[in-house]
Structure formats: structure tokens, C-alpha cells
Amino acid sequence: MINQKTKLTSLLAILLTCLFSCTAPEGSTEADVLKLDKIEGTEPMNVVFILSDDHRYDFMGFTGKVPFLETPNMDKMALEGTHIENAFVTTSLCSPSRASILTGQFSHHHQVVDNQSLIPDSVRFFPQYLQAAGYETAFMGKWHMGEHHADPRKGFDHWFSLKGQGNYFNPLINVNGEEKTFGDSTYITDLLTDEAVKWLEERDGSKPFFLYLSHKGVHADFKPAPRHQGVYANEKPSYPPTMYPEKNPDYNYDDVPDWVKNQRNSWHGVDYMYHGQINFDEFYQLYTETLLSVDESIGAVLDQLEKSGQIDNTLVFYMGDNGFSFGEHGLIDKRQAYEESIRVPLLVYGGKDVLKQQKVKQMIQNIDIGPTILAMAGLEKPENMDGESFLPILNGQNPTDWRERIYYEYFWERPFPQTPTTYAVRTGQYKFIRYHGIWDINELYDIQNDPWEMNNLIRNPEYADISKELRQDLFQWLEETNGMQMPLKTDGNGPRFDHKYRGTF
């Protein structure tokens, strides 16, 4: 028999879930719910949001991280617009991050906790509010939230989307409900760019507009456009100091979690990456070459807005959906809570006098995108969004109540079981990483003095109080946001994929 405490806990969970994703209250219509309060004295601006896949925060020409990499259009956005230097995702994985962008919610609220989870029908996307406020809206590219189809979704007047991960060449596209295959070696980044520019040229000029351009690039397996193939063939990557611990006596490898050490020899590890299908140097080369077409896409969109005279009343965002590791701690890909995985590029350009700062130091997260774009439309934030508008920061203000820490969550997935459920809290100086359900060591890093995360301080008695404080803070955040109910998803069908236990169930 279920006891009274269990009943109350279940009821509370249901009520809190409703708060974050429930349908319209009885007696009201969906249109009523989508009409937000207006911000006094604001005029709606046009917005273009360009999203790339797996683009880490420092792989842009102007950062100097990769000396040979040229990204003139990202450089232009950063040097003539605003570069948000500390941008983070709440979950470093495609589908959860994209759901957080569109909903303004943490993964444990919108429930898209892996790349297979369906997004609940009751969840609302911020473009729906824009649409209800009179915006003309369009989505182009990769949706990838659970459902393996490309059917039109709520909030968009024009729909041009690929199924799942899609293909780099000759893609199948759902065009406003009808599937169409593009042949003749059509390259996906170029196709999406051409469609975006065409839509900007032909849209209804009487309405403000919102364009969401969501690229497949630079998702593995990387395939550059034909014009970019081989351009970096003679360049060599610089290996991070934590890639080969035996070569770096300053790397405290003893206190690296065992799961990280074991993952070196897996699909997402440098010693057996993609089960031996490719070597690291070629992998690095193809990534940088594939990124070039994404940069060109940004340039084509900016050119169109400037040529048509719309750039002064349009803000253009460029962002990555999550970061990507290239050898740090012997890992590739994302999912972990290390800097290369959770940090993303975030650039803003245009808007005439809107942008007052070239560089933003505050910590911004993907859950802040929706509230910020709604503010640019002159709309208040819905109560169920976890993020906040950073428009005042772009305007040159310095809000005293802006967050001083960010939170991270990643939930174990069957397809890639090497990475455990992970929680983290990061301040301007420290990061505490906690692993759930495994017998292993947690991590504490002084990010300011140890940006490569080489020295885990979790055993150091001088940092015990900091560890305890951040651990307590992490659980307080989970309590306050109803994140203690861990989303458990069906464990899939068929034998396991990882090579160590391949063929077992």
C-alpha cells in the first residue's frame, strides 16, 4: 500500500510538472495562453537565430585557438558585434540542448533527456509566442528532438527540415509537410543557407520576422563541402596537455575518474575513436574543414540583411548546441562536464544601437535564448521558463542580480553507456562535478588557475569547504527546481553497441 508521504510526493511532482509544461487552463484557449504581457516602451525587432551542431566555444578564427582556422564571418560578428565569452549549455547533447533553447527550460523540466526522448505535446516553444504576437516565423534545418521524422512543429509558418541527423549530401527535406529529396550532390549547409536567404527575400514585409536556421554541421561524421575538402590537409592539430597523461607530469592523472580513463578505449575515446574507423588527425582536419561552410552561411545571411537594409532592425545570433572535446582527458565528443563540452560559441550582431558591449563576461546559458528573443519582441517571459533575458547585458547594463553560477545535468544513455549520469555546478572560479550511481571519484577544479582541468582538488583538505558548499548548492538547485525526480527512459531494444560488451543485452 502506498503511504501518505508517497502520495503527497507524487502529487507535488505532478503539480510542479504541470507548472512547467501543462496545457491551457480550463476555460482558456491556446491562443489566450500564448499572448504574453508587453514590455512598456519597446518596439519589436526582427531576429535571426543560427545554430550549429557540436561547435566548441574556442574553434573560431579570432580566438587564435586553431592558428590555421579562418572564420571571417564569425570574426566579424565578434569584432563588430558582441562576443559572449562565457556561454554554456545545461546539457551537452544535441536533443536536450535544442529543447532547452526552444523552451527556456532545464532538461528535467522539458523531459528531453537524450537523443531518443519524445518532447511532450504540452511543451510550448518560444516561437509560438512570437507567432501569436504577429511575427512571421520560419524553421530551417535540424530539429532532432526524439521523434525520427521531420514533420512541421508548432510555432512556425514556414518549415524546411531534415529527419533526425539527416545527411550532408542529397538530403531528404520536409517542406511544409511534404517530403522532397535534393539530388545532384546537394550539400546540406548550402541548401539550408539558400533557403534562408530566399525566405528573407520573399517573406511578408509587413510583419516582424523570426528565422531559426539550424545547421547539421559540424556533426560527425564530418563531411566538408567539396570546395573545402583538403584545404587543411597539411595542417596539424595541437594536442591538449591532458590527451596523453604519460607525457605531462603536471597532470594529476591519479585523481581522474576511472570512467574517464576507461573511455579512452571506446567510441568516444582517443585510443579507439569510432571503434577504430578514423584517426585523430584526420578527424580534426575534417571538423575544421566542415566548419568553413557554416561560417560562409553566416556571411550569406548577414549579406542579405545588409543588402536589404534590414540589419539595423535585426539582431542575428550565432550559437553552438553543445561543445566538443578534441583529446582533452583522452576524450572526444561531448556529454561530460568539462569546459570543452559545456561551453559554446555565442555571438550577436546587428540591431544598430542595441549592442553596447563587444565582450560579455557574464555566464549565459542556452535556456536564456528564448527569454532574450521574446524581450526583443517586446514580450515578457512566460512563468515556466527557467532562463532569463540577457538583453539588458547586451544593452550595456550590469544587472547586480545576474547569476553567479550555472548548473549542468546529463543523464546516462543506453547507446553510449560509457558516460555516467553527471551533475555539475560552475562559478566564475570553481567547478564541482558529481557522478551518480557509480563507484568513482567526483571532481573539483579551480577554473581560473587551472583552465585545462588538470588538477582535481577533491582530495585537497584546503578545498574541502568549497567542495561541500558547491555540493550542497547543487542539491539545493535540484530541490528548488523539482530536479530530484530522475527521468528514467526505456532502455531500448537489441544488443548493446559499446565494443567491450558488444552483443550482450
Side-chain angles (χ1 to χ4, degrees), residues 317-375:
F317 291 79
Y318 172 70
M319 189 178 193
D321 68 347
N322 47 246
F324 203 86
S325 294
F326 273 102
E328 290 83 7
H329 303 283
L331 305 177
I332 59 169
D333 198 69
K334 57 265 185 179
R335 291 172 168 84
Q336 354 88 23
Y338 297 127
E339 291 290 279
E340 300 77 23
S341 179
I342 66 175
R343 291 180 69 177
V344 291
L346 181 52
L347 310 171
V348 193
Y349 182 86
K352 197 175 181 179
D353 299 324
V354 174
L355 304 177
K356 305 292 187 184
Q357 300 191 68
Q358 184 188 359
K359 295 182 179 180
V360 167
K361 301 289 186 183
Q362 287 93 335
M363 291 188 285
I364 308 297
Q365 291 196 271
N366 53 353
I367 53 175
D368 301 325
I369 294 296
T372 302
I373 293 177
L374 290 177

Side-chain angles (χ1 to χ4, degrees), residues 46-50 76-77 196-197 199-201 203 209 211 297-317 349-351:
N46 304 317
V47 180
V48 176
F49 182 75
I50 304 174
K76 176 179 178 177
M77 291 188 73
V197 170
W199 184 81
L200 288 170
E201 291 174 337
R203 66 175 188 82
F209 67 85
L211 168 63
S297 177
I298 294 170
V301 171
L302 295 182
D303 287 347
Q304 169 58 29
L305 293 170
E306 289 169 346
K307 181 179 70 175
S308 62
Q310 298 176 98
I311 194 65
D312 284 349
N313 193 39
T314 304
L315 275 180
V316 181
F317 291 79
Y349 182 86

